[in-house]
Amino acid sequence: MTLATESDEHQQQERSFVLCYPNTSDLRYRDFIHKNLPLHRAPVIESLVLKSRNPQLFRPENIKLWVGIAVSRCVRELSLRICYDTIDNKPFVPLPSSLYTCCNSLTALKLKGESIFVDVPQSVNLPNLKTLKLRDVTYLNDDALRLLLSNCTALEDLFIDRHGDYDDNLRAVIVKVSTLQRLTLKTRSEYPSVQHVIVTPSLKYLKIYEDGDNLSYIIEDMPKLEEAVIDVAHFLDELLRSMTSVKHLSVRQITNLEEDQSKLNVGTVFHQLEDLKLCILREDWSKVLVWLLRNSPKLRVLNLYTDMHIRLSGKIGALFLNV
């Protein structure tokens, strides 16, 4: 185990703790933390980082208690990475309700691991949270994420990774945050007809990576968007028509437009687009390129690349003659 403290000029008031799983099953490590963390009396914990793979060494009830102590000490940054090595019957790690309701000091929350159970009370209130990262966690139900985001009134950076091979109890991702500036969404779904909703009028950076055949999007206009990275299987048109203000755009679509039944919208103009990166992945890649070239009057940089064997057969030169 690593137990480390760092301090700034207010050494007696602000501390950081990093608690990591050791390569041993010696329960004395757990007992040491259990006895000494409550003795920490400084009014502010700058950060608490807790990593564990051993459900016997760091039990769910221990983690819940330690997080509760950090909340009572006005923790500012909390990072939990709970990835138990057990194959079956992995225990869930519930977090104390005070984390969601009584932690006005929290500015960054990072949760990783399917054992972390996100059960958000109706009275959630995180007024100073600016960074939220949720990676392969398990939600109570389909409404848990929406409820968590509903009272993050200062949130600027949101990272959601749902690319695991398990059911996290969440169907659609609904993000409605007026203050959000950066959004990264990595997702997959086996549910039929899943539709994600993104309402983020202040967004400046967007990255979407999906792996699934049943996903679609409802996205309101993002007038402040500067950079977007889109890697999807379907519904490219639904995404791009809400990004007409983007300046830097990277696009990769797996499915041919004919198979996808997408329609590249007439009248959509990318007035600010200066830098375009396009993956040559399918035989109809030229349709997307021509459409973007014709509707990007300020384009200055074009980067074409491929990660598959595609026969170009002189197509690129002909494309530019017809734009």
Side-chain angles (χ1 to χ4, degrees), residues 77-121:
E77 298 182 7
L78 177 62
S79 179
L80 304 179
R81 182 175 179 175
I82 311 301
C83 303
Y84 290 143
D85 286 335
T86 55
I87 299 176
D88 299 316
N89 299 321
K90 294 184 179 181
F92 283 128
V93 179
L95 302 178
S97 60
S98 60
L99 173 65
Y100 303 110
T101 60
C102 304
C103 200
N104 293 347
S105 60
L106 194 65
T107 61
L109 177 61
K110 303 174 184 180
L111 306 177
K112 179 180 179 180
E114 60 191 75
S115 290
I116 296 179
F117 191 62
V118 178
D119 181 4
V120 183

CSV table of all heavy atoms in Angstrom, one decimal, residues 77-121:
chain,number,residue,atom,x,y,z
A,77,GLU,N,-11.1,16.9,-4.1
A,77,GLU,CA,-11.0,15.9,-5.2
A,77,GLU,C,-11.0,14.5,-4.7
A,77,GLU,O,-10.3,14.1,-3.8
A,77,GLU,CB,-9.7,16.2,-5.9
A,77,GLU,CG,-9.5,17.5,-6.6
A,77,GLU,CD,-8.3,17.7,-7.4
A,77,GLU,OE1,-7.5,16.7,-7.5
A,77,GLU,OE2,-8.0,18.8,-7.8
A,78,LEU,N,-11.9,13.7,-5.2
A,78,LEU,CA,-12.1,12.3,-4.8
A,78,LEU,C,-12.0,11.4,-6.0
A,78,LEU,O,-12.7,11.6,-7.0
A,78,LEU,CB,-13.5,12.2,-4.1
A,78,LEU,CG,-13.8,10.7,-3.7
A,78,LEU,CD1,-12.9,10.2,-2.7
A,78,LEU,CD2,-15.3,10.7,-3.2
A,79,SER,N,-11.1,10.4,-5.9
A,79,SER,CA,-10.9,9.5,-7.0
A,79,SER,C,-11.0,8.1,-6.5
A,79,SER,O,-10.2,7.7,-5.6
A,79,SER,CB,-9.6,9.7,-7.7
A,79,SER,OG,-9.3,8.8,-8.8
A,80,LEU,N,-11.9,7.3,-7.0
A,80,LEU,CA,-12.1,5.9,-6.6
A,80,LEU,C,-11.9,5.0,-7.8
A,80,LEU,O,-12.6,5.2,-8.8
A,80,LEU,CB,-13.4,5.6,-5.9
A,80,LEU,CG,-13.8,6.5,-4.7
A,80,LEU,CD1,-15.2,6.1,-4.3
A,80,LEU,CD2,-12.8,6.4,-3.6
A,81,ARG,N,-11.1,4.0,-7.7
A,81,ARG,CA,-10.9,3.0,-8.7
A,81,ARG,C,-11.0,1.6,-8.0
A,81,ARG,O,-10.0,1.1,-7.5
A,81,ARG,CB,-9.5,3.1,-9.4
A,81,ARG,CG,-9.3,2.1,-10.5
A,81,ARG,CD,-8.0,2.4,-11.2
A,81,ARG,NE,-7.8,1.4,-12.3
A,81,ARG,CZ,-6.8,1.5,-13.2
A,81,ARG,NH1,-5.9,2.5,-13.1
A,81,ARG,NH2,-6.6,0.6,-14.1
A,82,ILE,N,-12.2,1.0,-8.1
A,82,ILE,CA,-12.5,-0.2,-7.4
A,82,ILE,C,-12.8,-1.3,-8.5
A,82,ILE,O,-13.8,-1.4,-9.1
A,82,ILE,CB,-13.7,-0.1,-6.5
A,82,ILE,CG1,-13.6,1.2,-5.6
A,82,ILE,CG2,-13.9,-1.3,-5.7
A,82,ILE,CD1,-12.3,1.2,-4.7
A,83,CYS,N,-11.8,-2.1,-8.8
A,83,CYS,CA,-11.9,-3.1,-9.8
A,83,CYS,C,-11.5,-4.5,-9.2
A,83,CYS,O,-10.3,-4.9,-9.3
A,83,CYS,CB,-10.9,-2.8,-11.0
A,83,CYS,SG,-11.2,-1.2,-11.7
A,84,TYR,N,-12.4,-5.1,-8.5
A,84,TYR,CA,-12.2,-6.3,-7.8
A,84,TYR,C,-11.8,-7.5,-8.8
A,84,TYR,O,-12.4,-7.6,-9.9
A,84,TYR,CB,-13.4,-6.7,-7.0
A,84,TYR,CG,-13.6,-5.8,-5.8
A,84,TYR,CD1,-14.9,-5.5,-5.4
A,84,TYR,CD2,-12.6,-5.3,-5.1
A,84,TYR,CE1,-15.1,-4.7,-4.3
A,84,TYR,CE2,-12.8,-4.5,-4.0
A,84,TYR,CZ,-14.1,-4.2,-3.6
A,84,TYR,OH,-14.3,-3.4,-2.5
A,85,ASP,N,-10.9,-8.3,-8.4
A,85,ASP,CA,-10.4,-9.3,-9.3
A,85,ASP,C,-11.3,-10.6,-9.3
A,85,ASP,O,-11.1,-11.5,-10.1
A,85,ASP,CB,-9.0,-9.8,-8.9
A,85,ASP,CG,-7.9,-8.7,-9.3
A,85,ASP,OD1,-8.2,-8.0,-10.3
A,85,ASP,OD2,-6.9,-8.7,-8.7
A,86,THR,N,-12.2,-10.7,-8.4
A,86,THR,CA,-13.1,-11.8,-8.3
A,86,THR,C,-13.9,-12.0,-9.6
A,86,THR,O,-14.4,-11.0,-10.2
A,86,THR,CB,-14.0,-11.7,-7.1
A,86,THR,OG1,-14.7,-10.5,-7.2
A,86,THR,CG2,-13.3,-11.8,-5.8
A,87,ILE,N,-14.1,-13.2,-10.1
A,87,ILE,CA,-14.8,-13.5,-11.3
A,87,ILE,C,-16.3,-13.4,-11.1
A,87,ILE,O,-17.0,-12.7,-11.9
A,87,ILE,CB,-14.4,-14.8,-11.9
A,87,ILE,CG1,-12.9,-14.9,-12.2
A,87,ILE,CG2,-15.2,-15.1,-13.2
A,87,ILE,CD1,-12.4,-16.2,-12.7
A,88,ASP,N,-16.8,-14.0,-10.1
A,88,ASP,CA,-18.3,-14.0,-9.8
A,88,ASP,C,-18.6,-13.3,-8.5
A,88,ASP,O,-17.7,-13.2,-7.6
A,88,ASP,CB,-18.8,-15.5,-9.8
A,88,ASP,CG,-18.6,-16.2,-11.1
A,88,ASP,OD1,-18.8,-15.5,-12.2
A,88,ASP,OD2,-18.1,-17.3,-11.1
A,89,ASN,N,-19.8,-12.9,-8.4
A,89,ASN,CA,-20.3,-12.3,-7.1
A,89,ASN,C,-19.5,-11.2,-6.6
A,89,ASN,O,-19.1,-11.1,-5.5
A,89,ASN,CB,-20.4,-13.4,-6.1
A,89,ASN,CG,-21.4,-14.5,-6.4
A,89,ASN,OD1,-22.4,-14.3,-7.0
A,89,ASN,ND2,-21.0,-15.8,-6.1
A,90,LYS,N,-19.2,-10.3,-7.6
A,90,LYS,CA,-18.4,-9.1,-7.2
A,90,LYS,C,-19.3,-8.2,-6.3
A,90,LYS,O,-20.4,-7.9,-6.6
A,90,LYS,CB,-18.0,-8.3,-8.4
A,90,LYS,CG,-17.0,-9.1,-9.3
A,90,LYS,CD,-16.5,-8.2,-10.4
A,90,LYS,CE,-15.5,-8.9,-11.2
A,90,LYS,NZ,-15.0,-8.1,-12.4
A,91,PRO,N,-18.8,-7.8,-5.1
A,91,PRO,CA,-19.6,-7.0,-4.2
A,91,PRO,C,-19.7,-5.6,-4.8
A,91,PRO,O,-18.8,-5.0,-5.4
A,91,PRO,CB,-18.8,-7.0,-2.9
A,91,PRO,CG,-17.4,-7.2,-3.3
A,91,PRO,CD,-17.5,-8.1,-4.5
A,92,PHE,N,-20.9,-5.0,-4.6
A,92,PHE,CA,-21.1,-3.6,-4.9
A,92,PHE,C,-20.5,-2.7,-3.8
A,92,PHE,O,-20.6,-3.0,-2.6
A,92,PHE,CB,-22.5,-3.3,-5.2
A,92,PHE,CG,-23.0,-3.7,-6.5
A,92,PHE,CD1,-24.2,-4.5,-6.6
A,92,PHE,CD2,-22.4,-3.4,-7.7
A,92,PHE,CE1,-24.6,-4.9,-7.9
A,92,PHE,CE2,-22.8,-3.8,-8.9
A,92,PHE,CZ,-23.9,-4.6,-9.0
A,93,VAL,N,-20.0,-1.5,-4.2
A,93,VAL,CA,-19.5,-0.5,-3.3
A,93,VAL,C,-20.5,0.7,-3.3
A,93,VAL,O,-20.4,1.5,-4.1
A,93,VAL,CB,-18.1,-0.1,-3.6
A,93,VAL,CG1,-17.6,0.9,-2.6
A,93,VAL,CG2,-17.2,-1.3,-3.6
A,94,PRO,N,-21.4,0.7,-2.3
A,94,PRO,CA,-22.3,1.9,-2.3
A,94,PRO,C,-21.5,3.1,-1.6
A,94,PRO,O,-20.8,2.9,-0.7
A,94,PRO,CB,-23.4,1.5,-1.4
A,94,PRO,CG,-22.8,0.4,-0.5
A,94,PRO,CD,-21.7,-0.3,-1.3
A,95,LEU,N,-21.8,4.3,-2.2
A,95,LEU,CA,-21.1,5.5,-1.6
A,95,LEU,C,-22.1,6.2,-0.7
A,95,LEU,O,-23.3,6.1,-0.8
A,95,LEU,CB,-20.7,6.4,-2.8
A,95,LEU,CG,-19.8,5.8,-3.8
A,95,LEU,CD1,-19.5,6.7,-4.9
A,95,LEU,CD2,-18.5,5.3,-3.1
A,96,PRO,N,-21.6,6.9,0.3
A,96,PRO,CA,-22.5,7.5,1.3
A,96,PRO,C,-23.3,8.6,0.6
A,96,PRO,O,-22.8,9.3,-0.2
A,96,PRO,CB,-21.5,8.1,2.3
A,96,PRO,CG,-20.2,8.2,1.6
A,96,PRO,CD,-20.2,7.1,0.6
A,97,SER,N,-24.5,8.7,1.1
A,97,SER,CA,-25.4,9.7,0.5
A,97,SER,C,-24.9,11.1,0.7
A,97,SER,O,-25.2,12.1,-0.1
A,97,SER,CB,-26.8,9.6,1.1
A,97,SER,OG,-26.8,9.8,2.5
A,98,SER,N,-24.1,11.3,1.8
A,98,SER,CA,-23.5,12.6,2.1
A,98,SER,C,-22.6,13.1,0.9
A,98,SER,O,-22.4,14.3,0.8
A,98,SER,CB,-22.7,12.6,3.4
A,98,SER,OG,-21.7,11.6,3.3
A,99,LEU,N,-22.0,12.2,0.2
A,99,LEU,CA,-21.2,12.6,-0.9
A,99,LEU,C,-21.9,13.4,-1.9
A,99,LEU,O,-21.4,14.3,-2.6
A,99,LEU,CB,-20.6,11.3,-1.6
A,99,LEU,CG,-19.8,11.6,-2.9
A,99,LEU,CD1,-18.5,12.4,-2.6
A,99,LEU,CD2,-19.5,10.2,-3.6
A,100,TYR,N,-23.2,13.0,-2.1
A,100,TYR,CA,-24.1,13.7,-3.1
A,100,TYR,C,-24.8,14.9,-2.6
A,100,TYR,O,-25.3,15.8,-3.3
A,100,TYR,CB,-25.1,12.7,-3.7
A,100,TYR,CG,-24.4,11.5,-4.3
A,100,TYR,CD1,-24.6,10.2,-3.7
A,100,TYR,CD2,-23.7,11.6,-5.5
A,100,TYR,CE1,-24.0,9.1,-4.3
A,100,TYR,CE2,-23.2,10.4,-6.1
A,100,TYR,CZ,-23.3,9.2,-5.4
A,100,TYR,OH,-22.8,8.1,-6.0
A,101,THR,N,-25.0,14.9,-1.3
A,101,THR,CA,-25.9,16.0,-0.7
A,101,THR,C,-25.2,17.0,0.2
A,101,THR,O,-25.7,18.1,0.4
A,101,THR,CB,-27.0,15.3,0.1
A,101,THR,OG1,-26.4,14.5,1.2
A,101,THR,CG2,-27.8,14.4,-0.7
A,102,CYS,N,-24.0,16.6,0.8
A,102,CYS,CA,-23.4,17.5,1.8
A,102,CYS,C,-21.9,17.8,1.5
A,102,CYS,O,-21.2,18.2,2.4
A,102,CYS,CB,-23.5,16.9,3.1
A,102,CYS,SG,-25.1,16.4,3.7
A,103,CYS,N,-21.5,17.8,0.2
A,103,CYS,CA,-20.1,17.9,-0.1
A,103,CYS,C,-20.0,19.2,-1.0
A,103,CYS,O,-19.6,19.0,-2.2
A,103,CYS,CB,-19.6,16.7,-0.8
A,103,CYS,SG,-17.8,16.6,-0.7
A,104,ASN,N,-20.2,20.3,-0.5
A,104,ASN,CA,-20.1,21.6,-1.2
A,104,ASN,C,-18.7,21.9,-1.6
A,104,ASN,O,-18.5,22.6,-2.6
A,104,ASN,CB,-20.7,22.7,-0.4
A,104,ASN,CG,-22.2,22.6,-0.2
A,104,ASN,OD1,-22.8,21.8,-0.8
A,104,ASN,ND2,-22.7,23.4,0.7
A,105,SER,N,-17.7,21.3,-1.0
A,105,SER,CA,-16.3,21.5,-1.3
A,105,SER,C,-15.8,20.8,-2.5
A,105,SER,O,-14.8,21.1,-3.1
A,105,SER,CB,-15.4,21.1,-0.1
A,105,SER,OG,-15.6,19.7,0.2
A,106,LEU,N,-16.5,19.7,-2.9
A,106,LEU,CA,-16.0,18.8,-4.0
A,106,LEU,C,-16.0,19.5,-5.3
A,106,LEU,O,-17.0,20.1,-5.8
A,106,LEU,CB,-16.9,17.6,-4.1
A,106,LEU,CG,-16.4,16.4,-4.9
A,106,LEU,CD1,-15.2,15.8,-4.2
A,106,LEU,CD2,-17.5,15.4,-5.1
A,107,THR,N,-14.8,19.5,-6.0
A,107,THR,CA,-14.6,20.1,-7.3
A,107,THR,C,-14.4,19.1,-8.4
A,107,THR,O,-14.5,19.4,-9.6
A,107,THR,CB,-13.5,21.1,-7.3
A,107,THR,OG1,-12.3,20.5,-6.9
A,107,THR,CG2,-13.8,22.3,-6.3
A,108,ALA,N,-13.9,17.9,-8.0
A,108,ALA,CA,-13.6,16.8,-9.0
A,108,ALA,C,-14.0,15.5,-8.4
A,108,ALA,O,-13.6,15.1,-7.2
A,108,ALA,CB,-12.1,16.8,-9.3
A,109,LEU,N,-14.7,14.7,-9.1
A,109,LEU,CA,-15.1,13.3,-8.7
A,109,LEU,C,-14.9,12.4,-9.9
A,109,LEU,O,-15.4,12.6,-11.0
A,109,LEU,CB,-16.6,13.3,-8.4
A,109,LEU,CG,-17.2,12.0,-8.0
A,109,LEU,CD1,-16.6,11.4,-6.8
A,109,LEU,CD2,-18.7,12.1,-7.8
A,110,LYS,N,-14.0,11.3,-9.6
A,110,LYS,CA,-13.6,10.4,-10.6
A,110,LYS,C,-13.9,9.0,-10.0
A,110,LYS,O,-13.3,8.6,-9.0
A,110,LYS,CB,-12.2,10.5,-10.9
A,110,LYS,CG,-11.8,12.0,-11.4
A,110,LYS,CD,-10.3,12.1,-11.6
A,110,LYS,CE,-10.0,13.6,-12.0
A,110,LYS,NZ,-8.5,13.8,-12.2
A,111,LEU,N,-14.8,8.3,-10.7
A,111,LEU,CA,-15.2,6.9,-10.3
A,111,LEU,C,-14.9,5.9,-11.4
A,111,LEU,O,-15.4,6.2,-12.5
A,111,LEU,CB,-16.7,6.9,-9.9
A,111,LEU,CG,-17.2,7.9,-8.9
A,111,LEU,CD1,-18.7,7.8,-8.7
A,111,LEU,CD2,-16.4,7.7,-7.5
A,112,LYS,N,-14.3,4.8,-11.1
A,112,LYS,CA,-14.0,3.8,-12.1
A,112,LYS,C,-14.2,2.4,-11.4
A,112,LYS,O,-13.7,2.1,-10.4
A,112,LYS,CB,-12.6,3.9,-12.6
A,112,LYS,CG,-12.2,2.8,-13.6
A,112,LYS,CD,-10.8,3.0,-14.2
A,112,LYS,CE,-10.5,1.9,-15.2
A,112,LYS,NZ,-9.1,2.0,-15.7
A,113,GLY,N,-14.9,1.5,-12.2
A,113,GLY,CA,-15.0,0.1,-11.7
A,113,GLY,C,-16.5,-0.3,-11.6
A,113,GLY,O,-17.3,0.5,-11.0
A,114,GLU,N,-16.8,-1.4,-12.2
A,114,GLU,CA,-18.2,-1.9,-12.1
A,114,GLU,C,-18.7,-2.2,-10.8
A,114,GLU,O,-19.9,-2.3,-10.5
A,114,GLU,CB,-18.4,-3.1,-13.0
A,114,GLU,CG,-17.5,-4.3,-12.6
A,114,GLU,CD,-17.5,-5.4,-13.7
A,114,GLU,OE1,-16.8,-5.2,-14.7
A,114,GLU,OE2,-18.2,-6.4,-13.5
A,115,SER,N,-17.9,-2.3,-9.8
A,115,SER,CA,-18.3,-2.5,-8.4
A,115,SER,C,-18.8,-1.2,-7.7
A,115,SER,O,-19.5,-1.3,-6.7
A,115,SER,CB,-17.2,-3.1,-7.6
A,115,SER,OG,-16.9,-4.4,-8.0
A,116,ILE,N,-18.5,-0.1,-8.3
A,116,ILE,CA,-18.9,1.2,-7.7
A,116,ILE,C,-20.4,1.3,-8.1
A,116,ILE,O,-20.8,1.3,-9.3
A,116,ILE,CB,-18.1,2.4,-8.2
A,116,ILE,CG1,-16.7,2.2,-7.7
A,116,ILE,CG2,-18.7,3.7,-7.7
A,116,ILE,CD1,-15.8,3.4,-8.2
A,117,PHE,N,-21.3,1.5,-7.1
A,117,PHE,CA,-22.7,1.5,-7.3
A,117,PHE,C,-23.2,3.0,-7.1
A,117,PHE,O,-23.1,3.6,-6.0
A,117,PHE,CB,-23.4,0.6,-6.2
A,117,PHE,CG,-24.8,0.4,-6.5
A,117,PHE,CD1,-25.3,-0.2,-7.7
A,117,PHE,CD2,-25.8,0.8,-5.6
A,117,PHE,CE1,-26.6,-0.5,-7.9
A,117,PHE,CE2,-27.1,0.6,-5.8
A,117,PHE,CZ,-27.5,-0.1,-7.0
A,118,VAL,N,-23.7,3.6,-8.2
A,118,VAL,CA,-24.1,5.0,-8.2
A,118,VAL,C,-25.6,5.0,-7.9
A,118,VAL,O,-26.4,4.8,-8.7
A,118,VAL,CB,-23.8,5.6,-9.5
A,118,VAL,CG1,-24.3,7.1,-9.5
A,118,VAL,CG2,-22.3,5.6,-9.8
A,119,ASP,N,-25.9,5.3,-6.6
A,119,ASP,CA,-27.3,5.5,-6.1
A,119,ASP,C,-27.5,6.9,-5.6
A,119,ASP,O,-27.0,7.2,-4.5
A,119,ASP,CB,-27.5,4.4,-5.0
A,119,ASP,CG,-29.0,4.5,-4.5
A,119,ASP,OD1,-29.8,5.3,-5.0
A,119,ASP,OD2,-29.3,3.7,-3.5
A,120,VAL,N,-28.1,7.7,-6.4
A,120,VAL,CA,-28.1,9.2,-6.2
A,120,VAL,C,-29.4,9.5,-5.5
A,120,VAL,O,-30.5,9.2,-6.0
A,120,VAL,CB,-28.0,10.0,-7.5
A,120,VAL,CG1,-27.9,11.4,-7.2
A,120,VAL,CG2,-26.7,9.5,-8.2
A,121,PRO,N,-29.4,10.2,-4.3
A,121,PRO,CA,-30.7,10.6,-3.7
A,121,PRO,C,-31.3,11.8,-4.4
A,121,PRO,O,-30.6,12.5,-5.2
A,121,PRO,CB,-30.2,11.0,-2.3
A,121,PRO,CG,-28.8,11.4,-2.4
A,121,PRO,CD,-28.2,10.5,-3.5
